[in-house]
């Protein structure tokens, strides 16, 4: 794809909030995806690891519902994380059809690295803003995201 500048875009796009969010989302997602690829991790893996850190040990359905990931796709993602040694699955004592999923020490270690990477990328993406603007942007995006979830 040829390089383009923001100023070459039509005003109808550069003044459209949805389009602007898409541009920023794509740039942020691509940068993050490229940065974590050497670790053998993809963004959905990061989401799962982060959710496990936040919720603690939980089952696949809880993670799936929290992240809005289809159960079939969730199984594949969990298989990949388990194969890498980042999560552990243990049969739930109260329901042998279910597994308790938790982070392993390896999962906690890689998550720390991934969160640092995410922070560096966020700082890069928002480098033209001062601290007050960054805080305001984050709060605004959080409010918009709440209504979409």
């Amino acid at each position: 794809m040829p390089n383009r500048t923001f100023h070459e875009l039509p005003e109808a796009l550069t003044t459209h909030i949805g389009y602007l969010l898409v541009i920023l989302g794509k740039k942020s997602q691509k940068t993050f995806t490229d940065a974590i690829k050497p670790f053998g991790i993809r963004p959905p893996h990061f989401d799962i690891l982060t959710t496990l850190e936040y919720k603690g040990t939980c089952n696949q359905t809880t993670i799936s519902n929290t992240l809005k990931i289809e159960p079939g796709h969730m199984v594949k993602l969990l298989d990949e994380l388990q194969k890498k040694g980042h999560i552990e699955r243990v049969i739930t004592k109260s329901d042998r059809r279910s597994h308790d999923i938790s982070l392993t020490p390896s999962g906690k270690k890689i998550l720390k690295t991934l969160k640092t990477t995410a922070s560096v990328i966020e700082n890069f993406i928002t480098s033209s803003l001062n601290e007050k603007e960054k805080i305001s942007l984050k709060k605004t995006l959080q409010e918009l995201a709440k209504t979409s979830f």
Side-chain angles (χ1 to χ4, degrees), residues 18-36:
Y19 186 78
L20 296 171
L21 289 170
V22 168
I23 289 172
L24 293 170
K26 284 181 179 180
K27 174 67 174 178
S28 180
Q29 186 77 2
K30 180 175 179 356
T31 304
F32 184 63
T33 300
D34 291 348
I36 65 175

Side-chain angles (χ1 to χ4, degrees), residues 26 31 38 47 50 52-54 57 89 103 105 119 134 141:
K26 284 181 179 180
T31 304
D47 299 346
T50 303
L52 285 168
E53 179 187 53
Y54 175 71
T57 300
R89 289 172 169 152
L103 289 173
S119 181
K134 288 179 187 181
L141 292 173

Side-chain angles (χ1 to χ4, degrees), residues 70-138:
E70 291 296 321
H73 187 58
M74 179 60 70
V75 170
K76 181 179 182 232
L77 293 166
L78 292 173
D79 286 346
E80 292 166 353
L81 286 170
Q82 186 173 17
K83 186 176 180 181
K84 293 177 185 307
H86 300 319
I87 65 163
E88 178 180 49
R89 289 172 169 152
V90 177
I91 293 175
T92 306
K93 291 177 183 172
S94 61
D95 181 358
R96 298 192 49 81
R97 297 169 294 167
S98 180
H99 289 85
D100 289 329
I101 303 164
S102 58
L103 289 173
T104 62
S106 169
K108 291 175 184 176
K109 183 178 178 182
I110 193 73
L111 182 57
K112 184 176 180 180
T113 300
L114 297 171
K115 287 168 77 174
T116 299
T117 301
S119 181
V120 167
I121 291 167
E122 180 178 302
N123 287 333
F124 171 74
I125 296 287
T126 60
S127 63
S128 65
L129 303 176
N130 64 39
E131 264 325 290
K132 187 176 178 181
E133 291 168 328
K134 288 179 187 181
I135 292 167
S136 177
L137 174 62
K138 189 175 284 190

